[in-house]
Amino acid sequence: MTQKLVVIGAGMASGRALEHLFETDPAAYDVTLFNAEPRGNYNRIMLSPVLSGDKTYEEIVTHDADWYEGNDVTCRFGEHVTAIDRDRKVVVGQNGEVPYDKLLIATGSAPFIIPVPGKDLPGVIAYRDLEDTNTMIAAGAKGGRAVVIGGGLLGLEAAAGLAARGMDVTVVHLMGHLMERQLDDAAGYLLRRALEDKGITVRCKASTAAIVGEDHVEGVLLQDDELIPADLVVMAVGIRPETRLATDAALEVERGITVDDQLVTSDPDVLAMGECVEHRGQLFGLVAPLYDQAKIVAKTLLGEAAEFVPREVSTKLKVTGCDLFSAGDFAEADGHEDIVFRDPARGVYKRLVLEGNTLVGAVMYGDTADSGWFFGLIKDATDISEMRDTLIFGPSFQGGAPLDPMAAVAALPDDVEICGCNGVSKGDIMAAIAAGAGDLGAIRATTKASASCGTCTGLVEQVLGATLGDDFVIPAAAGICGCTDLTHEDVRRLIKSKELKTQPAVWQELGWSTPDGCHICRPEVNYYLLADWPLAYQDDGQSRFINERKHANIQKDGTFSVVPRMWGGMTTPNELRAIADAAEKYNVPTVHVTGGQRIDLLGVRGEDLPDIWADLNAAGMVSGHAYAKGLRTVKTCVGRDHCRFGTQDSTGLGIKLERHLWGSWTPHKVKLAVSGCPRNCAEATCKDIGVVCVDSGFQIGVAGAAGMDVKETERLADVATEQEVIDLATAFIQLYRENAKYLDRPYKWVAKVGLDWVKEQVVEDLENRAALIERFEISQSVYRTDPWADHVKTRAKTYAPVTTFALEAAE
Amino acid sequence: MSNWTDIAALDDIAIRGARVVKTAHGCVAVFRTGTDEVFALDNACPHKKGPLAEGIVHGNTVTCPLHNWVFSLETGEAQGADNGRVETYAARIENGRILLETSFLKARAA
Ligand code: SRM
Ligand SMILES: Cc1cc2nc3c(=O)[nH]c(=O)nc-3n(C[C@H](O)[C@H](O)[C@H](O)COP(=O)(O)OP(=O)(O)OC[C@H]3O[C@@H](n4cnc5c(N)ncnc54)[C@H](O)[C@@H]3O)c2cc1C
Ligand code: SF4
Ligand code: FES
């Protein structure tokens, strides 16, 4: 006897289920199909090509009127189901009831709308159905600006479609990189670059505060008070299973409608499938597993045994020119190992994630030709131990080309500047080679590249190597760490010349072999980026050694030391009292007078840091940066005011220098001293910069050392005024900041580049001196602030345990 | 019997960062990697008790802040030439929250 089947929702999932049902037994059921949308089944995922203009709606219809008629389906399109009455076994539609023997709920999901003011304004839409798509197409025809909230799959397809239709599009994304659930930040970086090439503006780490407008949307207001004007706002921040009918009908619902392996709900006569269900804790957002569900639903309806097993899903983005692929569960696999391949020249990034001898995940950008093969290896859990070494090269690998350490340099465009001192480009060097220059000496003689400060030597050699091939043997120079073959100097130069402004950009463009660096290169790259792009780059605390992340020196027992600044070694009874009070209040076990003319409170518990800082701040004291690769101390002597030999105000000048320079980050620590006369009580002649006052003015020495090495300063210049001292010290530090390799103290760096070159830059070339000072000031506009006060205000809670289990709870 | 306990929101821990969970038996460091995986390990380095939560997180490893031993977040094993292991505990993310499998607290108390 023919039974009655009612289906709620004519979407991708139910459409497929009906096909299987009719193929197997067309006579088993009388089917009534409800759909809230005023149409039948179409290929929802092809809405993006419709939006971008590559397809028409007619081309993506999967089931037309003939199909429904041929299969005797009663269609109730454009009609919402409002209730399910399980006792009477009827479905209540807007236009009347229909009885059922079996019911299939396939209501899909609803776009999540972030609950901000203005969300209901006209012009604010989601991206789910044909209506939304047509609204976007109409908006595109008028031009203007669009903001897409959400940088996931849907949001980016919407953005690309709107841009293709001529709108000025901004994507606002909450997380640090695009599609963060499918991509790691290296691939996210490449994707962002590709979208920006299409003219789309991408704003990551941006949180929407409100949508503004009178009677139509006018803009999106971000949390940081920036207003992005918009004529259209598309919210694509996520989806929520559409479970309202099931909940009202008292079916079991968790995040989605609970179903078993047969896709049956808590009621044996009610099945559910698609994005509205939850199966063994899992929700669905892509069609591949739904097609599997469709087969099981058909079998279950026909009384055949079958079991739904969720399969691996993979993601691709349907945006022309953005070739990406991701598959596998990065988030929950255990025991991973990574294999990373980057080809900066082609903008290719591939990362395979292995667990033991099987592939469990893959992310690819730029070249996804082998994605199907990798996806197969993941799904079948193939043992890859035999091909492990060459796996990343894909199935067609014939045992050739190893990774090329010179790829990054070979990939540089010809107009990229290699030698900053003399303005020599890669093309100039190649021209010199073509004209017969075959080694470094000849290049220096003909182009002057690497003939000045010499920090670009490694790059010049790589250009020689890349151009001459085997005829030129590159002298072995050590890479920074296991993540790259490039030397410190090469990385520094390339960050500047290629204008790399984020860590993922550095990892990708310079061919890092690890996903996100290591404890050696991360602090180094973080420093170069913040020194070269103080305004564009956001300092990354997670790439800093703990001392700089927590602004205190870690001790052998895990406690910390706290050293407030005492400008020029001067203090007051008030400050001393506050230090004494803090020492008592926080049970500081050790108080030591340092070799840097200030007081160290040693043994402070990490959790107490924000509190003790707040107390010291209240007494007017700030961080002494005793932990920093940055400006440490400016030691002074009592000078002219008190000492019978003092020639100038050494204390006052020291304080001025310290106030001017404090907070700046440098390749290694920087210490200064100012002595009031050549008796040199402040030990100025062994500092990074030391000033000795004399009757005629000031002698400025640089590049001294008194730590692991002991070395007297070398004379940079003699000047007459305090202002000149401050200017020369500032310019010297900026030159050091911009050029030295990370962890070279000034004396080591000056030994490499030569004092003569430094003098040329800082003393003789007045224009250059002014430019250095200006760049220092730009950087200080960001960094000349007290990090203690900032952390007390913005992140005090990160210093405390995230949770504490009381003793009772543990028992 | 497993005992999953909600300890924090995922966003309470910085990407490539860690926070500490205090227990009566010592601290557990909960890590969040660059690919948003979470791991829980004892917060004491086997070398000289360095607090691993203060280390730099890279890939699925962390570098001890005191003398740079590197540990796998998955197995707790020291990498490279160094020998040693820290205890690991099960942790996972659900709905943007971090869950820690806390039956070890009972086991240790017993
Ligand atoms: C506190 C202090 C010792 C004291 O109690 O007097 C000190 C303590 C440390 N010094 Fe120092 N140095 C201190 C003055 C010095 C001085 C003398 C000076 O500044 O006039 C020197 C020689 C001058 C110099 O800088 O070279 C000095 C040369 C070093 C070195 C060797 C640097 C070098 O390039 O040769 C290191 C190791 C390093 O930085 O890599 C070091 C490293 C350290 C560290 C940070 C070790 C570490 O990495 O944990 C110590 C931290 C202790 C703590 O937890 O607070 N400390 N250290 C002094 C703090 C000065 C201040 O007020 O900021
Ligand atoms: C623009 C876009 C692009 C996408 N791209 C991809 C992609 O590239 N790859 C991929 O795998 N997935 C993609 N997806 C996701 C994919 O479309 C969904 O996973 C799939 O459509 C879910 O199928 P479903 O049948 O569960 O729900 P749907 O296809 O949403 O169908 C549910 C239907 O139920 C109807 N309905 C809901 N409530 C009621 C009610 N009370 N009464 C009557 N009818 C109701 C709705 O109107 C809707 O028509 C994309 C989605 C969108 C929106
Ligand atoms: S000399 Fe400096 S680094 Fe060495 S033990 Fe003393 S404080 Fe520590
Ligand atoms: S305590 Fe961890 S490496 Fe020494």
Side-chain angles (χ1 to χ4, degrees):
Chain A
M1 195 197 76
T2 308
Q3 301 197 75
K4 290 191 175 55
L5 170 67
V6 175
V7 181
I8 311 177
M12 308 255 337
S14 65
R16 202 40 95 82
L18 289 178
E19 284 176 20
H20 290 304
L21 182 67
F22 296 144
E23 273 160 26
T24 320
D25 186 351
Y29 286 96
D30 247 354
V31 178
T32 304
L33 177 59
F34 281 95
N35 201 21
E37 285 183 65
R39 61 185 70 84
N41 296 82
Y42 61 93
N43 194 346
R44 190 176 305 282
I45 73 178
M46 298 309 274
L47 284 174
S48 294
V50 171
L51 173 61
S52 62
D54 294 333
K55 285 227 170 353
T56 62
Y57 169 66
E58 289 66 33
E59 288 175 89
I60 70 167
V61 170
T62 50
H63 300 161
D64 55 16
D66 288 348
W67 188 87
Y68 293 118
E69 209 179 302
N71 289 297
D72 266 344
V73 178
T74 310
C75 298
R76 309 231 337 214
F77 296 156
E79 179 175 357
H80 277 265
V81 169
T82 55
I84 301 167
D85 185 337
R86 294 201 285 134
D87 295 333
R88 294 193 298 129
K89 289 185 100 171
V90 295
V91 164
V92 186
Q94 284 168 315
N95 305 330
E97 300 186 350
V98 185
Y100 68 81
D101 297 305
K102 292 279 181 194
L103 174 62
L104 175 61
I105 306 177
T107 44
S109 58
F112 184 75
I113 301 295
I114 40 176
V116 289
K119 67 181 167 47
D120 300 320
L121 280 172
V124 181
I125 62 167
Y127 187 19
R128 183 74 199 170
D129 55 25
L130 184 65
E131 277 68 32
D132 298 329
T133 311
N134 285 337
T135 308
M136 284 191 261
I137 292 172
K142 281 191 263 161
R145 296 157 178 271
V147 170
V148 176
I149 304 177
L153 192 104
L154 272 190
L156 297 184
E157 290 187 4
L162 289 167
R165 297 225 172 233
M167 290 193 88
D168 184 353
V169 183
T170 302
V171 175
V172 172
H173 189 50
L174 189 58
M175 306 304 283
H177 68 266
L178 298 172
M179 289 182 71
E180 78 286 346
R181 289 200 307 186
Q182 291 89 9
L183 302 181
D184 52 18
D185 44 12
Y189 156 75
L190 283 168
L191 173 60
R192 178 184 183 141
R193 208 180 58 174
L195 292 170
E196 286 172 344
D197 285 347
K198 290 181 186 293
I200 296 171
T201 306
V202 178
R203 299 286 311 268
C204 288
K205 290 194 187 144
S207 174
T208 305
I211 296 173
V212 294
E214 285 292 316
D215 39 36
H216 189 275
V217 60
E218 287 164 25
V220 172
L221 184 67
L222 301 183
Q223 215 87 64
D224 64 7
D225 282 347
E226 192 191 339
L227 182 72
I228 308 178
D231 309 303
L232 175 76
V233 172
V234 182
M235 271 210 212
V237 292
I239 53 172
R240 193 168 40 70
E242 179 55 87
T243 58
R244 281 174 297 182
L245 285 175
T247 307
D248 293 349
L251 290 166
E252 194 180 307
V253 174
E254 288 166 274
R255 284 174 300 159
I257 307 171
T258 312
V259 292
D260 62 14
D261 293 345
Q262 281 67 48
L263 280 324
V264 177
T265 66
S266 55
D267 178 333
D269 290 323
V270 181
L271 284 73
M273 69 182 306
E275 283 184 344
C276 61
V277 306
E278 175 167 346
H279 173 260
R280 298 189 180 277
Q282 193 188 340
L283 299 176
F284 303 88
L286 294 171
V287 293
L290 308 189
Y291 288 162
D292 291 341
Q293 289 181 358
K295 292 180 198 148
I296 311 302
V297 164
K299 291 202 164 142
T300 303
L301 285 172
L302 296 171
E304 293 173 30
E307 211 172 282
F308 171 62
V309 184
R311 59 150 106 182
E312 285 290 345
V313 292
S314 65
T315 311
K316 284 191 171 184
L317 183 72
K318 302 188 297 299
V319 173
T320 328
C322 298
D323 241 354
L324 66 81
F325 172 84
S326 113
D329 203 346
F330 295 91
E332 272 162 49
D334 264 338
H336 293 168
E337 256 178 277
D338 284 306
I339 303 179
V340 174
F341 171 83
R342 304 182 197 248
D343 182 345
R346 291 188 299 140
V348 170
Y349 169 75
K350 298 184 191 184
R351 168 160 170 242
L352 301 180
V353 184
L354 302 183
E355 185 182 311
N357 286 327
T358 53
L359 185 63
V360 295
V363 182
M364 314 194 168
Y365 192 95
D367 173 5
T368 54
D370 298 331
S371 60
W373 185 69
F374 287 121
F375 191 39
L377 296 180
I378 295 175
K379 279 194 295 192
D380 304 341
T382 311
D383 183 337
I384 51 87
S385 46
E386 297 282 283
M387 49 183 166
R388 194 185 181 96
D389 291 346
T390 57
L391 185 67
I392 192 110
F393 300 110
S396 57
F397 179 73
Q398 304 297 323
L403 289 178
D404 180 2
M406 285 189 308
V409 171
L412 292 176
D414 288 358
D415 60 355
V416 158
E417 187 179 87
I418 297 283
C419 172
C421 298
N422 297 298
V424 185
S425 70
K426 180 182 167 193
D428 296 338
I429 296 172
M430 286 166 58
I433 297 170
D439 59 24
L440 193 60
I443 297 289
R444 282 185 180 153
T446 50
T447 68
K448 293 194 88 152
S450 119
S452 295
C453 82
T455 51
C456 62
T457 304
L459 286 180
V460 173
E461 284 169 346
Q462 296 214 27
V463 175
L464 275 162
T467 314
L468 297 174
D470 291 345
D471 293 345
F472 182 81
V473 180
I474 299 182
I480 296 182
C481 60
C483 304
T484 176
D485 290 328
L486 295 168
T487 65
H488 307 263
E489 288 81 3
D490 294 348
V491 170
R492 264 224 100 153
R493 280 262 1 110
L494 290 169
I495 284 173
K496 285 199 197 54
S497 59
K498 297 199 75 180
E499 302 196 8
L500 306 178
K501 296 186 181 172
T502 63
Q503 291 203 57
V506 172
W507 302 331
Q508 173 59 31
E509 300 296 336
L510 306 186
W512 247 240
S513 64
T514 47
D516 52 8
C518 70
H519 65 270
I520 299 169
C521 62
R522 281 250 300 284
E524 174 156 349
V525 169
N526 185 59
Y527 168 72
Y528 294 154
L529 289 168
L530 75 81
D532 287 341
W533 320 110
L535 302 182
Y537 180 70
Q538 166 88 47
D539 183 17
D540 174 26
Q542 300 315 127
S543 295
R544 286 184 175 272
F545 180 61
I546 182 63
N547 288 2
E548 294 186 346
R549 192 185 320 138
K550 288 203 164 164
H551 295 277
N553 279 303
I554 196 163
Q555 316 281 297
K556 58 194 285 190
D557 63 355
T559 61
F560 292 85
S561 68
V562 171
V563 187
R565 212 167 263 292
M566 285 182 175
W567 307 95
M570 298 296 283
T571 187
T572 63
N574 197 30
E575 285 183 354
L576 291 171
R577 207 171 284 122
I579 291 175
D581 287 346
E584 275 182 357
K585 181 168 167 192
Y586 299 99
N587 295 315
V588 172
T590 308
V591 182
H592 186 247
V593 175
T594 74
Q597 298 189 336
R598 44 201 194 163
I599 294 176
D600 192 352
L601 300 164
L602 298 120
V604 180
R605 298 187 325 148
E607 298 171 56
D608 288 338
L609 287 173
D611 294 331
I612 192 170
W613 293 339
D615 288 2
L616 295 170
N617 279 161
M621 281 176 277
V622 298
S623 167
H625 292 88
Y627 46 80
K629 309 278 178 262
L631 182 88
R632 294 281 181 95
T633 52
V634 181
K635 281 173 70 166
T636 67
C637 69
V638 289
R640 190 175 60 190
D641 284 0
H642 301 275
C643 175
R644 62 197 168 110
F645 296 114
T647 59
Q648 310 279 354
D649 179 13
S650 53
T651 331
L653 176 56
I655 293 173
K656 281 184 197 155
L657 281 165
E658 190 166 352
R659 290 216 177 258
H660 187 67
L661 301 171
W662 80 295
S664 58
W665 297 103
T666 43
H668 202 315
K669 57 193 175 192
V670 172
K671 297 177 179 178
L672 280 71
V674 186
S675 286
C677 82
R679 287 166 193 77
N680 192 19
C681 298
E683 300 166 322
T685 49
C686 61
K687 292 289 180 262
D688 298 297
I689 302 178
V691 181
V692 176
C693 304
V694 288
D695 273 332
S696 57
F698 309 86
Q699 301 172 337
I700 306 172
V702 294
M708 290 183 275
D709 293 309
V710 179
K711 177 178 168 290
E712 195 181 337
T713 49
E714 298 171 62
R715 189 70 58 82
L716 182 72
D718 291 352
V719 297
T721 63
E722 286 192 346
Q723 190 55 48
E724 284 171 284
V725 175
I726 295 172
D727 284 355
L728 285 176
T730 306
F732 175 81
I733 289 180
Q734 183 64 13
L735 192 70
Y736 169 61
R737 297 181 71 229
E738 291 177 2
N739 291 282
K741 129 183 188 315
Y742 192 60
L743 298 188
D744 264 357
R745 283 291 283 267
Y747 75 96
K748 291 200 173 157
W749 165 69
V750 171
K752 287 181 187 167
V753 301
L755 186 67
D756 287 344
W757 179 75
V758 173
K759 280 187 182 166
E760 263 170 45
Q761 303 290 312
V762 171
V763 185
E764 290 148 28
D765 186 341
L766 293 179
E767 211 176 295
N768 194 47
R769 185 199 302 177
L772 285 165
I773 292 170
E774 191 187 332
R775 291 200 292 277
F776 183 79
E777 270 311 307
I778 291 173
S779 173
Q780 285 293 72
S781 71
V782 179
Y783 292 106
R784 195 189 277 131
T785 54
D786 179 24
W788 287 355
D790 176 55
H791 281 216
V792 167
K793 206 170 92 200
T794 62
R795 64 190 88 163
K797 82 171 176 76
T798 64
Y799 286 77
V802 71
T803 308
T804 301
F805 287 112
L807 197 55
E808 303 82 74
E811 279 166 359
Chain B
M1 199 194 70
S2 64
N3 193 355
W4 291 98
T5 312
D6 183 325
I7 53 164
L10 180 60
D11 288 339
D12 287 339
I13 304 183
I15 293 178
R16 301 189 185 90
R19 293 284 294 277
V20 157
V21 173
K22 245 189 189 165
T23 81
H25 316 287
C27 289
V28 172
V30 182
F31 295 88
R32 175 179 180 186
T33 68
T35 51
D36 270 353
E37 289 178 75
V38 291
F39 297 97
L41 282 74
D42 269 343
N43 191 33
C45 174
H47 178 219
K48 294 192 173 169
K49 302 262 172 303
L52 296 178
E54 315 283 24
I56 289 181
V57 178
H58 45 105
N60 281 357
T61 55
V62 62
T63 301
C64 177
L66 293 194
H67 316 97
N68 290 338
W69 285 24
V70 178
F71 295 89
S72 158
L73 294 175
E74 293 138 7
T75 62
E77 290 290 345
Q79 307 289 291
D82 299 315
N83 272 314
R85 182 175 177 275
V86 263
E87 197 55 60
T88 60
Y89 308 102
R92 65 180 159 98
I93 305 171
E94 202 176 288
N95 294 331
R97 305 287 307 177
I98 300 173
L99 306 186
L100 179 67
E101 212 285 300
T102 49
S103 44
F104 70 93
L105 290 175
K106 293 186 185 149
R108 282 212 215 158

